Amino acid sequence: MTTQVKHFIAGEFTTGNGSRCISVTNPADNQPIAQVNCATAAEIEQAISNAADAFKSWRQVAVPERARLMLRYQHLLKAHHDELATILAKETGKTFADAKGDVWRGIEVVEHACNIPSLLMGETVENVARGIDTYSMIQPLGVCTGITPFNFPAMIPLWMFPLAIACGNTFILKPSEQDPMTAQRLAELFDEAGAPKGVLQLLHGDRDVVDTLLCHPQIKAISFVGSVAVGRHVYQTGTEHMKRVQAFAGAKNHSVIMPDANKQQVINQLVGASVGAAGQRCMAISVAVFVGDTKHWIPELRDAMASVRPGLWDDPDAGFGPLISPQAKQRVLGLIAQGKQEGAQCLLDGSDASVPGHEAGNWVGPTLFTGVTEEMTLYKEEIFGPVLICMEAESLEEAIALINRNPYGNGTSLFTGSGAVARKFQHEIEVGQVGINIPIPVPLPFFSFTGWKGSFYGDQHAYGKQAVRFYTETKTITSRWFEDDMSHSGPNMTINLK
């Protein structure tokens, strides 16, 4: 029996009236587990109109009261942590431990939103001129929207709507149609936390829903996480329609291994960072750059990767789950085959991986390549599967130059025992998020998620202080109060304050 996924419109959960339906399948066997009706044009318009009406009153709610809503919400998220992780694991195929991590990293952002009073503080300078004071206030934008991907169905929505709403905005969430049940449960808990009706709306659907949101005049800001092609479309379309847009797109993340690094730590970290979550992370390490003699560590890395196997979400011995869809699997298998055709050496091939009893699932096993060059498709494309490619460099400078030539700049890491080497790397590398002996440097939410170059379109990044700036406008007031006996010297005919 399949579940009917619901929209959340005007404070009510509804299956909707859409005639176009999308089947949600279990990636482990591709059997249907849920169905969602795509939102109709009328339902989208109702959600936007209701959010616009709710904004008028929500923006007037005292900032401490908005913080208390977030406190109640994070309490409920923690109380339902395992339940959320179970829903998430079943619809994405992630292992239960990985699903719990997905939920927890989202909860951390909600905890950050509880600090919203201090994050919204403006600035004041007294006597900028005689008897004149200047101060700034941070105010909300209006109706904002978030378009989120399949790979983190709890974390990334929680990157977006809690901070936007805490800032005084209302929000429309459009989650991935491939795993929408987690988003529904997040909305249910937000409603249970006491959120006023209309502050959060949840719309399901495909590109038609997205394009309507991108072009609608009442939408003020758009947050997006997803593929390169869709990210460009979202940014171009949204900005053409005068929206504020942050679009997180593709990645090709490199890890540099120096000869003074701890070999076993490097191998362990590379395995987890490349095949964890089946490689379906925008911050996954997909390129290992071995400097000098560290290239001799590759056979041990191959053996360590070969010991990890995919499995079902509730299998405690499984290292990772299936890919999200048959289409995703075929894309990864196609890139593996093309790598072989272009002359790369496949030391470990996971193309024929399967799980007993679930052979119809979207399984790809750990895969390792050497002999990869910058011209190969394996290097140029974001694979988004459990595939690691190995490259070699004679020096740190050569490794840095390789990474800086790459069009993406989402994340990178360096393994070394030298502070001087680490200092040089973090200073010269042209990548937004850098890990030193940490393979996946996703920052905690009091910092911002800061991809660079082709990995990000926009100006202000996700969560942290930059997200508060993204979801608000700054109003600056310059004021003077005349005293009754203040003398007047006639009109001021210049721009200077006097």
Side-chain angles (χ1 to χ4, degrees):
M1 183 175 179
T2 59
T3 299
Q4 183 66 49
V5 181
K6 296 180 180 179
H7 308 282
F8 186 43
I9 301 173
E12 302 294 335
F13 288 94
T14 173
T15 58
N17 300 312
S19 59
R20 291 190 302 114
C21 299
I22 297 173
S23 180
V24 181
T25 58
N26 178 356
D29 57 16
N30 285 307
Q31 293 300 305
I33 56 175
Q35 179 176 285
V36 58
N37 296 335
C38 293
T40 65
E43 288 164 346
I44 298 170
E45 189 61 40
Q46 181 189 8
I48 296 173
S49 177
N50 185 254
D53 288 342
F55 172 68
K56 297 173 186 176
S57 57
W58 177 245
R59 66 173 304 182
Q60 304 299 337
V61 171
V63 178
E65 183 54 39
R66 294 187 224 148
R68 293 184 193 109
L69 170 61
M70 296 305 155
L71 284 166
R72 295 193 296 272
Y73 188 43
Q74 60 90 25
H75 172 74
L76 286 171
L77 290 172
K78 291 175 182 177
H80 294 267
H81 186 185
D82 284 6
E83 177 204 347
L84 284 163
T86 301
I87 296 170
L88 192 156
K90 287 181 177 180
E91 65 177 348
T92 64
K94 287 187 178 186
T95 64
F96 186 57
D98 195 23
K100 289 179 69 174
D102 185 332
V103 176
W104 184 256
R105 292 308 300 265
I107 291 173
E108 290 176 332
V109 181
V110 181
E111 289 177 334
H112 182 59
C114 296
N115 298 314
I116 198 64
S118 60
L119 295 172
L120 289 179
M121 291 174 66
E123 299 173 316
T124 301
V125 175
E126 185 182 39
N127 276 345
V128 295
R130 184 177 296 274
I132 298 177
D133 306 325
T134 298
Y135 47 97
S136 63
M137 296 188 296
I138 299 173
Q139 297 186 332
L141 297 174
V143 182
C144 302
T145 191
I147 302 159
T148 61
F150 74 84
N151 58 331
F152 285 98
M155 181 183 76
I156 294 179
L158 293 174
W159 277 12
M160 297 178 182
F161 74 82
L163 271 172
I165 291 172
C167 287
N169 303 288
T170 53
F171 200 90
I172 297 173
L173 176 64
K174 209 302 283 185
S176 171
E177 62 273 21
Q178 296 185 89
D179 46 16
M181 294 188 291
T182 301
Q184 178 183 318
R185 190 65 183 125
L186 292 177
E188 290 169 349
L189 292 174
F190 194 64
D191 185 49
E192 186 179 336
K197 291 184 181 299
V199 168
L200 175 66
Q201 317 269 341
L202 176 66
L203 293 174
H204 298 289
D206 51 19
R207 180 165 176 163
D208 289 346
V209 177
V210 171
D211 284 342
T212 301
L213 294 172
L214 296 181
C215 301
H216 199 284
Q218 287 185 285
I219 301 292
K220 303 302 181 184
I222 300 163
S223 302
F224 168 84
V225 177
S227 68
V228 176
V230 181
R232 288 174 180 163
H233 170 71
V234 167
Y235 183 74
Q236 291 172 351
T237 306
T239 53
E240 283 173 2
H241 287 82
M242 305 303 291
K243 316 296 183 193
R244 185 177 293 185
V245 181
Q246 53 176 206
F248 297 84
K252 197 70 176 180
N253 305 316
H254 301 66
S255 184
V256 176
I257 299 94
M258 298 301 293
D260 62 347
N262 182 294
K263 181 173 66 173
Q264 193 56 54
Q265 288 181 356
V266 168
I267 290 171
N268 291 342
Q269 299 281 12
L270 286 179
V271 172
S274 60
V275 306
Q280 297 176 121
R281 296 170 176 156
C282 66
M283 288 290 286
I285 292 297
S286 57
V287 184
V289 184
F290 291 87
V291 178
D293 289 340
T294 60
K295 62 188 177 184
H296 300 304
W297 301 357
I298 294 175
E300 293 180 62
L301 172 62
R302 176 199 59 208
D303 294 343
M305 291 180 67
S307 69
V308 179
R309 63 170 182 81
L312 303 180
W313 73 272
D314 56 354
D315 178 355
D317 296 322
F320 58 95
L323 296 178
I324 189 65
S325 68
Q327 295 79 11
K329 176 182 176 178
Q330 289 306 312
R331 181 180 179 278
V332 172
L333 293 182
L335 287 167
I336 292 172
Q338 191 167 359
K340 297 173 187 176
Q341 293 170 4
E342 293 179 358
Q345 183 180 3
C346 189
L347 298 186
L348 179 65
D349 190 350
S351 300
D352 296 327
S354 66
V355 172
H358 292 78
E359 289 80 4
N362 309 317
W363 309 105
V364 177
T367 301
L368 183 68
F369 279 94
T370 59
V372 178
T373 66
E374 293 179 69
E375 294 73 30
M376 292 181 179
T377 306
L378 267 180
Y379 180 75
K380 292 190 291 186
E381 292 283 332
E382 182 178 24
I383 300 173
F384 230 58
V387 181
L388 179 63
I389 63 177
C390 299
M391 304 179 77
E392 299 173 13
E394 292 300 318
S395 65
L396 176 65
E397 289 77 9
E398 185 180 330
I400 290 173
L402 169 69
I403 298 170
N404 287 349
R405 285 194 299 270
N406 193 276
Y408 298 113
N410 210 34
T412 188
S413 63
L414 171 75
F415 288 94
T416 183
S418 168
V421 168
R423 174 65 171 77
K424 177 180 176 65
F425 182 80
Q426 69 187 39
H427 179 68
E428 296 184 7
I429 207 71
E430 296 170 6
V431 175
Q433 293 164 122
V434 181
I436 305 299
N437 298 315
I438 293 176
I440 302 180
V442 177
L444 289 171
F446 30 86
F447 289 91
S448 296
F449 187 93
T450 52
W452 282 16
K453 298 193 290 188
S455 296
F456 177 72
Y457 303 99
D459 298 307
Q460 302 284 354
H461 292 86
Y463 59 78
K465 293 180 181 178
Q466 290 195 35
V468 173
R469 293 293 177 261
F470 177 77
Y471 289 122
T472 59
E473 289 280 19
T474 300
K475 180 181 290 183
T476 305
I477 299 97
T478 302
S479 68
R480 165 189 279 158
W481 294 96
F482 292 104
E483 299 178 11
D484 291 341
D485 59 350
M486 182 177 285
S487 61
H488 302 284
S489 56
N492 179 7
M493 306 302 291
T494 75
I495 198 173
N496 295 328
L497 293 174
K498 295 182 179 180

